[in-house]
Amino acid sequence: MTQTQDATRTRTFGWTDPAEHAHLLGRRSGLEILRAMATGELPPPPVMHLIDGEGMQVEEGAVTLTLEPREFHYNPLGSVHGGILSTLLDTAAACSVHSTLPAGVGYTSMDLNVKFLRPATIASGKLTCAGTVLQRGRRTALAEARITDAAGRLIAHATSSCMIFEI
């Protein structure tokens, strides 16, 4: 982000071809793909560039993402927009499901139920969003995700149902 003398703010970003991930779905497990993204072997998906997402930690059934709140995340009230927080929650919850899937099996979010508990701002420090699988069957999975600020305070939490299908 750059700022000029007249207080105009701009932001430019790039991303890699999302097909780079899609072609791996039949060849690598979800855990392998996510770990490759976490280590930098594979680039993050375009949405992470859009929101300026930072790190990722991956274990089977659990994914943690981080985001440093920036001014460009703000809503008109001066706090991080709920859509940004929801994107983090959806990503962490759904990726936790992805981490349990074998090669050739995909997923999609069916719903996301979000509760916002306190505002997040630049002063909140780095946000950590941890997703965990609660239950996984053959066709559906239930996951949750929680966002905490740098002081460990709960900012928002969500539950998500995902549909599981063969690719």
Side-chain angles (χ1 to χ4, degrees):
M1 186 164 87
T2 58
Q3 186 171 337
T4 61
Q5 295 258 327
D6 66 356
T8 302
R9 291 161 171 86
T10 62
R11 181 168 176 256
T12 304
F13 63 95
W15 61 92
T16 55
D17 183 355
E20 191 169 334
H21 297 124
H23 86 277
L24 294 173
L25 292 176
R27 298 183 178 119
R28 294 170 88 174
S29 72
L31 185 60
E32 291 169 328
I33 291 170
L34 291 167
R35 283 186 172 158
M37 283 192 281
T39 64
E41 176 191 337
L42 286 174
V47 69
M48 294 308 285
H49 292 287
L50 176 66
I51 65 170
D52 205 24
E54 294 177 351
M56 175 189 275
Q57 296 174 348
V58 180
E59 298 175 27
E60 186 170 356
V63 171
T64 300
L65 309 166
T66 57
L67 177 101
E68 189 73 40
R70 305 277 184 226
E71 190 178 70
F72 63 83
H73 293 129
Y74 277 16
N75 61 28
L77 301 175
S79 61
V80 175
H81 191 283
I84 299 293
L85 299 174
S86 294
T87 298
L88 275 177
L89 292 162
D90 180 56
T91 302
C95 284
S96 69
V97 171
H98 191 193
S99 74
T100 68
L101 301 179
V105 177
Y107 70 96
T108 190
S109 298
M110 295 187 334
D111 62 37
L112 182 70
N113 185 349
V114 178
K115 301 293 183 198
F116 302 105
L117 303 173
R118 63 173 29 98
T121 66
I122 290 170
S124 301
K126 186 176 286 190
L127 302 179
T128 301
C129 184
T132 307
V133 174
L134 299 175
Q135 181 178 348
R136 183 167 96 58
R138 282 190 19 228
R139 300 281 180 227
T140 62
L142 178 65
E144 69 176 353
R146 301 166 60 85
I147 298 175
T148 54
D149 65 11
R153 294 176 298 204
L154 187 60
I155 300 293
H157 66 93
T159 56
S160 175
S161 300
C162 292
M163 181 187 319
I164 299 170
F165 52 86
E166 289 188 30
I167 298 173

PDB file of all heavy atoms in Angstrom, residues 80-87 89 112-120 147 154-158:
ATOM      1  N   VAL A  80     -11.995  -3.807  11.092  1.00  0.00           N
ATOM      2  CA  VAL A  80     -11.883  -4.795  10.019  1.00  0.00           C
ATOM      3  C   VAL A  80     -13.288  -5.244   9.602  1.00  0.00           C
ATOM      4  O   VAL A  80     -14.115  -5.615  10.441  1.00  0.00           O
ATOM      5  CB  VAL A  80     -11.017  -5.995  10.455  1.00  0.00           C
ATOM      6  CG1 VAL A  80     -10.993  -7.075   9.377  1.00  0.00           C
ATOM      7  CG2 VAL A  80      -9.596  -5.542  10.786  1.00  0.00           C
ATOM      8  N   HIS A  81     -13.532  -5.200   8.309  1.00  0.00           N
ATOM      9  CA  HIS A  81     -14.829  -5.559   7.746  1.00  0.00           C
ATOM     10  C   HIS A  81     -15.172  -7.011   8.074  1.00  0.00           C
ATOM     11  O   HIS A  81     -14.306  -7.894   8.040  1.00  0.00           O
ATOM     12  CB  HIS A  81     -14.783  -5.366   6.228  1.00  0.00           C
ATOM     13  CG  HIS A  81     -16.107  -5.451   5.571  1.00  0.00           C
ATOM     14  ND1 HIS A  81     -16.742  -6.647   5.330  1.00  0.00           N
ATOM     15  CD2 HIS A  81     -16.926  -4.475   5.106  1.00  0.00           C
ATOM     16  CE1 HIS A  81     -17.895  -6.407   4.739  1.00  0.00           C
ATOM     17  NE2 HIS A  81     -18.037  -5.104   4.592  1.00  0.00           N
ATOM     18  N   GLY A  82     -16.424  -7.259   8.386  1.00  0.00           N
ATOM     19  CA  GLY A  82     -16.877  -8.612   8.703  1.00  0.00           C
ATOM     20  C   GLY A  82     -16.650  -9.591   7.574  1.00  0.00           C
ATOM     21  O   GLY A  82     -16.452 -10.785   7.813  1.00  0.00           O
ATOM     22  N   GLY A  83     -16.644  -9.118   6.332  1.00  0.00           N
ATOM     23  CA  GLY A  83     -16.385  -9.998   5.195  1.00  0.00           C
ATOM     24  C   GLY A  83     -14.955 -10.530   5.195  1.00  0.00           C
ATOM     25  O   GLY A  83     -14.718 -11.674   4.806  1.00  0.00           O
ATOM     26  N   ILE A  84     -14.015  -9.717   5.648  1.00  0.00           N
ATOM     27  CA  ILE A  84     -12.622 -10.158   5.758  1.00  0.00           C
ATOM     28  C   ILE A  84     -12.521 -11.226   6.846  1.00  0.00           C
ATOM     29  O   ILE A  84     -11.906 -12.279   6.652  1.00  0.00           O
ATOM     30  CB  ILE A  84     -11.682  -8.974   6.065  1.00  0.00           C
ATOM     31  CG1 ILE A  84     -11.724  -7.933   4.950  1.00  0.00           C
ATOM     32  CG2 ILE A  84     -10.262  -9.459   6.347  1.00  0.00           C
ATOM     33  CD1 ILE A  84     -11.169  -8.383   3.627  1.00  0.00           C
ATOM     34  N   LEU A  85     -13.134 -10.957   7.996  1.00  0.00           N
ATOM     35  CA  LEU A  85     -13.118 -11.931   9.090  1.00  0.00           C
ATOM     36  C   LEU A  85     -13.819 -13.218   8.669  1.00  0.00           C
ATOM     37  O   LEU A  85     -13.338 -14.322   8.958  1.00  0.00           O
ATOM     38  CB  LEU A  85     -13.770 -11.340  10.340  1.00  0.00           C
ATOM     39  CG  LEU A  85     -13.090 -10.098  10.916  1.00  0.00           C
ATOM     40  CD1 LEU A  85     -13.913  -9.526  12.063  1.00  0.00           C
ATOM     41  CD2 LEU A  85     -11.667 -10.379  11.344  1.00  0.00           C
ATOM     42  N   SER A  86     -14.944 -13.101   7.969  1.00  0.00           N
ATOM     43  CA  SER A  86     -15.668 -14.284   7.498  1.00  0.00           C
ATOM     44  C   SER A  86     -14.838 -15.083   6.501  1.00  0.00           C
ATOM     45  O   SER A  86     -14.871 -16.316   6.503  1.00  0.00           O
ATOM     46  CB  SER A  86     -16.996 -13.869   6.855  1.00  0.00           C
ATOM     47  OG  SER A  86     -17.854 -13.314   7.811  1.00  0.00           O
ATOM     48  N   THR A  87     -14.095 -14.390   5.652  1.00  0.00           N
ATOM     49  CA  THR A  87     -13.222 -15.074   4.698  1.00  0.00           C
ATOM     50  C   THR A  87     -12.163 -15.890   5.425  1.00  0.00           C
ATOM     51  O   THR A  87     -11.890 -17.041   5.070  1.00  0.00           O
ATOM     52  CB  THR A  87     -12.570 -14.065   3.737  1.00  0.00           C
ATOM     53  OG1 THR A  87     -13.607 -13.402   2.993  1.00  0.00           O
ATOM     54  CG2 THR A  87     -11.605 -14.738   2.776  1.00  0.00           C
ATOM     55  N   LEU A  89     -12.388 -17.069   8.516  1.00  0.00           N
ATOM     56  CA  LEU A  89     -13.075 -18.175   9.195  1.00  0.00           C
ATOM     57  C   LEU A  89     -13.439 -19.292   8.222  1.00  0.00           C
ATOM     58  O   LEU A  89     -13.219 -20.477   8.503  1.00  0.00           O
ATOM     59  CB  LEU A  89     -14.326 -17.653   9.916  1.00  0.00           C
ATOM     60  CG  LEU A  89     -14.070 -16.749  11.115  1.00  0.00           C
ATOM     61  CD1 LEU A  89     -15.317 -15.945  11.463  1.00  0.00           C
ATOM     62  CD2 LEU A  89     -13.576 -17.552  12.310  1.00  0.00           C
ATOM     63  N   LEU A 112     -21.909 -21.241   6.441  1.00  0.00           N
ATOM     64  CA  LEU A 112     -20.970 -20.654   7.381  1.00  0.00           C
ATOM     65  C   LEU A 112     -21.797 -19.832   8.357  1.00  0.00           C
ATOM     66  O   LEU A 112     -22.497 -18.907   7.956  1.00  0.00           O
ATOM     67  CB  LEU A 112     -19.953 -19.760   6.662  1.00  0.00           C
ATOM     68  CG  LEU A 112     -18.873 -19.129   7.529  1.00  0.00           C
ATOM     69  CD1 LEU A 112     -17.893 -20.194   8.017  1.00  0.00           C
ATOM     70  CD2 LEU A 112     -18.143 -18.045   6.756  1.00  0.00           C
ATOM     71  N   ASN A 113     -21.738 -20.189   9.635  1.00  0.00           N
ATOM     72  CA  ASN A 113     -22.480 -19.471  10.671  1.00  0.00           C
ATOM     73  C   ASN A 113     -21.461 -18.720  11.519  1.00  0.00           C
ATOM     74  O   ASN A 113     -20.684 -19.339  12.246  1.00  0.00           O
ATOM     75  CB  ASN A 113     -23.280 -20.462  11.514  1.00  0.00           C
ATOM     76  CG  ASN A 113     -24.149 -19.779  12.527  1.00  0.00           C
ATOM     77  OD1 ASN A 113     -24.037 -18.584  12.772  1.00  0.00           O
ATOM     78  ND2 ASN A 113     -25.028 -20.551  13.134  1.00  0.00           N
ATOM     79  N   VAL A 114     -21.468 -17.389  11.417  1.00  0.00           N
ATOM     80  CA  VAL A 114     -20.446 -16.556  12.049  1.00  0.00           C
ATOM     81  C   VAL A 114     -21.039 -15.744  13.196  1.00  0.00           C
ATOM     82  O   VAL A 114     -22.141 -15.210  13.083  1.00  0.00           O
ATOM     83  CB  VAL A 114     -19.831 -15.579  11.022  1.00  0.00           C
ATOM     84  CG1 VAL A 114     -18.800 -14.665  11.677  1.00  0.00           C
ATOM     85  CG2 VAL A 114     -19.218 -16.342   9.863  1.00  0.00           C
ATOM     86  N   LYS A 115     -20.270 -15.641  14.264  1.00  0.00           N
ATOM     87  CA  LYS A 115     -20.602 -14.761  15.386  1.00  0.00           C
ATOM     88  C   LYS A 115     -19.426 -13.807  15.591  1.00  0.00           C
ATOM     89  O   LYS A 115     -18.298 -14.238  15.819  1.00  0.00           O
ATOM     90  CB  LYS A 115     -20.845 -15.557  16.682  1.00  0.00           C
ATOM     91  CG  LYS A 115     -21.962 -16.557  16.589  1.00  0.00           C
ATOM     92  CD  LYS A 115     -23.293 -15.879  16.422  1.00  0.00           C
ATOM     93  CE  LYS A 115     -24.391 -16.932  16.401  1.00  0.00           C
ATOM     94  NZ  LYS A 115     -25.625 -16.452  15.857  1.00  0.00           N
ATOM     95  N   PHE A 116     -19.708 -12.504  15.488  1.00  0.00           N
ATOM     96  CA  PHE A 116     -18.697 -11.476  15.723  1.00  0.00           C
ATOM     97  C   PHE A 116     -18.822 -11.024  17.173  1.00  0.00           C
ATOM     98  O   PHE A 116     -19.910 -10.657  17.617  1.00  0.00           O
ATOM     99  CB  PHE A 116     -18.906 -10.281  14.789  1.00  0.00           C
ATOM    100  CG  PHE A 116     -18.870 -10.654  13.337  1.00  0.00           C
ATOM    101  CD1 PHE A 116     -20.043 -10.726  12.600  1.00  0.00           C
ATOM    102  CD2 PHE A 116     -17.668 -10.934  12.707  1.00  0.00           C
ATOM    103  CE1 PHE A 116     -20.023 -11.064  11.262  1.00  0.00           C
ATOM    104  CE2 PHE A 116     -17.632 -11.276  11.361  1.00  0.00           C
ATOM    105  CZ  PHE A 116     -18.804 -11.342  10.634  1.00  0.00           C
ATOM    106  N   LEU A 117     -17.719 -11.051  17.914  1.00  0.00           N
ATOM    107  CA  LEU A 117     -17.775 -10.762  19.341  1.00  0.00           C
ATOM    108  C   LEU A 117     -17.170  -9.415  19.723  1.00  0.00           C
ATOM    109  O   LEU A 117     -17.590  -8.809  20.699  1.00  0.00           O
ATOM    110  CB  LEU A 117     -17.074 -11.881  20.117  1.00  0.00           C
ATOM    111  CG  LEU A 117     -17.666 -13.262  19.841  1.00  0.00           C
ATOM    112  CD1 LEU A 117     -16.821 -14.327  20.497  1.00  0.00           C
ATOM    113  CD2 LEU A 117     -19.102 -13.323  20.308  1.00  0.00           C
ATOM    114  N   ARG A 118     -16.169  -8.961  18.983  1.00  0.00           N
ATOM    115  CA  ARG A 118     -15.552  -7.654  19.256  1.00  0.00           C
ATOM    116  C   ARG A 118     -14.895  -7.176  17.961  1.00  0.00           C
ATOM    117  O   ARG A 118     -14.533  -7.982  17.118  1.00  0.00           O
ATOM    118  CB  ARG A 118     -14.549  -7.711  20.394  1.00  0.00           C
ATOM    119  CG  ARG A 118     -13.351  -8.583  20.180  1.00  0.00           C
ATOM    120  CD  ARG A 118     -12.267  -8.483  21.278  1.00  0.00           C
ATOM    121  NE  ARG A 118     -12.721  -8.152  22.581  1.00  0.00           N
ATOM    122  CZ  ARG A 118     -12.967  -9.010  23.569  1.00  0.00           C
ATOM    123  NH1 ARG A 118     -12.767 -10.293  23.365  1.00  0.00           N
ATOM    124  NH2 ARG A 118     -13.374  -8.614  24.735  1.00  0.00           N
ATOM    125  N   PRO A 119     -14.727  -5.863  17.835  1.00  0.00           N
ATOM    126  CA  PRO A 119     -14.098  -5.346  16.607  1.00  0.00           C
ATOM    127  C   PRO A 119     -12.603  -5.650  16.578  1.00  0.00           C
ATOM    128  O   PRO A 119     -11.955  -5.751  17.622  1.00  0.00           O
ATOM    129  CB  PRO A 119     -14.347  -3.841  16.674  1.00  0.00           C
ATOM    130  CG  PRO A 119     -14.564  -3.546  18.120  1.00  0.00           C
ATOM    131  CD  PRO A 119     -15.162  -4.783  18.732  1.00  0.00           C
ATOM    132  N   ALA A 120     -12.087  -5.799  15.380  1.00  0.00           N
ATOM    133  CA  ALA A 120     -10.650  -5.938  15.163  1.00  0.00           C
ATOM    134  C   ALA A 120     -10.170  -4.684  14.443  1.00  0.00           C
ATOM    135  O   ALA A 120     -10.839  -4.196  13.526  1.00  0.00           O
ATOM    136  CB  ALA A 120     -10.347  -7.175  14.323  1.00  0.00           C
ATOM    137  N   ILE A 147     -11.169 -16.777  15.573  1.00  0.00           N
ATOM    138  CA  ILE A 147     -10.181 -15.714  15.382  1.00  0.00           C
ATOM    139  C   ILE A 147      -9.890 -15.079  16.728  1.00  0.00           C
ATOM    140  O   ILE A 147     -10.810 -14.661  17.435  1.00  0.00           O
ATOM    141  CB  ILE A 147     -10.681 -14.622  14.416  1.00  0.00           C
ATOM    142  CG1 ILE A 147     -10.936 -15.196  13.028  1.00  0.00           C
ATOM    143  CG2 ILE A 147      -9.671 -13.468  14.343  1.00  0.00           C
ATOM    144  CD1 ILE A 147     -11.553 -14.208  12.049  1.00  0.00           C
ATOM    145  N   LEU A 154     -10.935 -13.456  21.957  1.00  0.00           N
ATOM    146  CA  LEU A 154     -11.749 -13.992  20.870  1.00  0.00           C
ATOM    147  C   LEU A 154     -12.448 -12.854  20.139  1.00  0.00           C
ATOM    148  O   LEU A 154     -13.182 -12.067  20.740  1.00  0.00           O
ATOM    149  CB  LEU A 154     -12.772 -14.988  21.440  1.00  0.00           C
ATOM    150  CG  LEU A 154     -13.600 -15.768  20.432  1.00  0.00           C
ATOM    151  CD1 LEU A 154     -12.724 -16.618  19.514  1.00  0.00           C
ATOM    152  CD2 LEU A 154     -14.609 -16.650  21.178  1.00  0.00           C
ATOM    153  N   ILE A 155     -12.210 -12.759  18.833  1.00  0.00           N
ATOM    154  CA  ILE A 155     -12.794 -11.718  17.983  1.00  0.00           C
ATOM    155  C   ILE A 155     -14.075 -12.241  17.328  1.00  0.00           C
ATOM    156  O   ILE A 155     -15.088 -11.565  17.281  1.00  0.00           O
ATOM    157  CB  ILE A 155     -11.791 -11.285  16.891  1.00  0.00           C
ATOM    158  CG1 ILE A 155     -10.517 -10.720  17.505  1.00  0.00           C
ATOM    159  CG2 ILE A 155     -12.417 -10.321  15.901  1.00  0.00           C
ATOM    160  CD1 ILE A 155     -10.685  -9.421  18.243  1.00  0.00           C
ATOM    161  N   ALA A 156     -14.014 -13.456  16.772  1.00  0.00           N
ATOM    162  CA  ALA A 156     -15.156 -14.053  16.077  1.00  0.00           C
ATOM    163  C   ALA A 156     -14.972 -15.561  16.037  1.00  0.00           C
ATOM    164  O   ALA A 156     -13.848 -16.062  16.157  1.00  0.00           O
ATOM    165  CB  ALA A 156     -15.255 -13.500  14.655  1.00  0.00           C
ATOM    166  N   HIS A 157     -16.081 -16.269  15.880  1.00  0.00           N
ATOM    167  CA  HIS A 157     -15.995 -17.719  15.687  1.00  0.00           C
ATOM    168  C   HIS A 157     -17.074 -18.147  14.718  1.00  0.00           C
ATOM    169  O   HIS A 157     -18.044 -17.424  14.480  1.00  0.00           O
ATOM    170  CB  HIS A 157     -16.069 -18.491  17.012  1.00  0.00           C
ATOM    171  CG  HIS A 157     -17.366 -18.388  17.730  1.00  0.00           C
ATOM    172  ND1 HIS A 157     -18.371 -19.297  17.559  1.00  0.00           N
ATOM    173  CD2 HIS A 157     -17.818 -17.474  18.615  1.00  0.00           C
ATOM    174  CE1 HIS A 157     -19.407 -18.960  18.324  1.00  0.00           C
ATOM    175  NE2 HIS A 157     -19.088 -17.863  18.972  1.00  0.00           N
ATOM    176  N   ALA A 158     -16.893 -19.333  14.132  1.00  0.00           N
ATOM    177  CA  ALA A 158     -17.838 -19.811  13.125  1.00  0.00           C
ATOM    178  C   ALA A 158     -17.877 -21.328  13.117  1.00  0.00           C
ATOM    179  O   ALA A 158     -16.918 -21.987  13.525  1.00  0.00           O
ATOM    180  CB  ALA A 158     -17.424 -19.311  11.739  1.00  0.00           C
TER     181      ALA A 158
END
